[in-house]
Every structure is written in structure tokens, then in C-alpha cells.
Amino acid sequence: FQLESTGMTRHIVQMKPQTVQNVIAMVALYRPGPLRFIPDYIHRMHDEEQVAYRHPAMKPIFEETYGIAIYQEQIMRAAVDLGGYTLSEADELRKVISKKMKDKVDKQREKFIRGAIARGIPEKTAGAIFADWESFAEYGFNKSHSTAYAMITYQTAYLKAHYPVEFMASLLTSEKDNRDKIIKHINGCKERGINVLPPDINESLSDFTVVGDHIRFGLAAVKNVGAGAVESIIEVRRAGDRFGSFQEFCQRVDLRKV
């Protein structure tokens, strides 16, 4: 769901991701605030814009995101390397900025600039670096969180590309109680040339199932049909032959459940 909106789809197509790292970055960027940095990231990624750092010491930390501060972890590492913070102090800095604790932010600014000057970074440069963090961090995303979404995105995109029928059958099953989503995904199947066959009392299982290059509609997804009734029908069907008529169906099933 992180990458299926119209805006996100447009940006990810423009990006042409080459690695999972690119997808991780896009998940973190596509939200209020960092959204404005998406064009910069894409241009720099494709060597259409020069990557610049306020200080050379920032390059090892921000190189993977082309000089753009995207993750909270980057801010924490920079506070350690540039400002002499301990890791616990860096986490406190992250918390203070992200929660907009104005009185504490001022103290952190002084602390960072003091530590940066001690490491040979000009005061003006240190102030500019901290100002960048203030504008970023209120919307900052932690990389670990973004990575979890990006990995699921990568895995599901792979399955959708290489096993489209199985993937769509699973997707439909996962949304079987949501009529609007069912309609949306059936339309998605049609766009990919996959037929969703109608429910069949002799063939359908509870979930959506793969039938050759097509998908058979699951009985449990039929409105007002309960799971218990479906299980009972399938059990009777497995014990004998196919139902030959509606009358035969009524005679064979357990009418207390169906």
C-alpha cells in the first residue's frame, strides 16, 4: 500500500529504481516535508544534478541518499561524527527535533555547534547544518521502518511480475471481505489479461484459486455466504461426485449449515 497511490507510482516510475536502497529512500521521501526533495533525489541519482555537501565529513553519511538528509539514523550518525555526541545523546537530539521541543532544540543547537567547532568545522557551516536538520527532522522517517516497507514492496513486486496469476489470487483472497477492493483487483486482473472466473458450486474453494492461467472466484467472497457454509459444501463435494442439479445440491448438503 505504500507504493500504490497515483503520486507515488508516478515518482517511482520517474526514479527507475536500481536497488532496494532506492525504494527505501522513496518510501521515506513520499510524505509531507521531504516530498519536495524527490525531484532532487531523482536528478542526482541519474547524474542530472550535482551532489553537494555542506562539509566533506558529511559525505560518508549522506552519500547513499545523494547528499539529502532522509533518515533519522543519518542525523544521529552525523551528530556523533560531526558534533562529538554519544549515540544516546544523538537519539535525544533526534527526539528533541522530531517532537519540536523548542527550548531543548536551542540547547541542542549550541551543543552541536560547540562540538563541531572542536572538530574543525566552521561555526557558520555547523549552524547551517543544524538548520537543515531542524527543517527536515519534524517529518523524518527512520530507515529501519522504511526498509521493512521497501522489502515487502520488492518481494510483492517480484511475485506480481513473475507469478501474476498466483499473486493476484492471493491478493484477492486477502481482500475477500472488502467489496470495493475486490472490484479494483478484478479490474487489475483484466488489465493483465487474467480472467476471474465466476463462483462455481462444483469448482470454487473458499479462497480465490488458480485455474490454469485464470482465477476462480472464492465462495467465501460471495456476499452473505459464511465460511461455515462454504466448508460444509466443500466437505460434501469431496465425499462424492459433482452436484448435478440444484435439487441434488439441496439434498446432499447439511441444511443446518447451508
Side-chain angles (χ1 to χ4, degrees), residues 197-214:
L197 306 172
D200 188 302
I201 204 68
N202 281 312
E203 290 189 12
S204 291
L205 296 179
S206 178
D207 294 337
F208 289 79
T209 50
V210 175
V211 181
D213 294 330
H214 308 300

Side-chain angles (χ1 to χ4, degrees), residues 118-131:
R119 279 157 183 74
I121 298 172
E123 182 177 350
K124 187 176 179 181
T125 302
I129 291 170
F130 196 90

Side-chain angles (χ1 to χ4, degrees), residues 81-96:
D81 291 358
L82 278 67
Y85 281 56
T86 65
L87 283 172
S88 60
E89 288 173 337
D91 188 47
E92 179 64 23
L93 170 67
R94 173 201 61 77
K95 192 187 304 178
V96 163

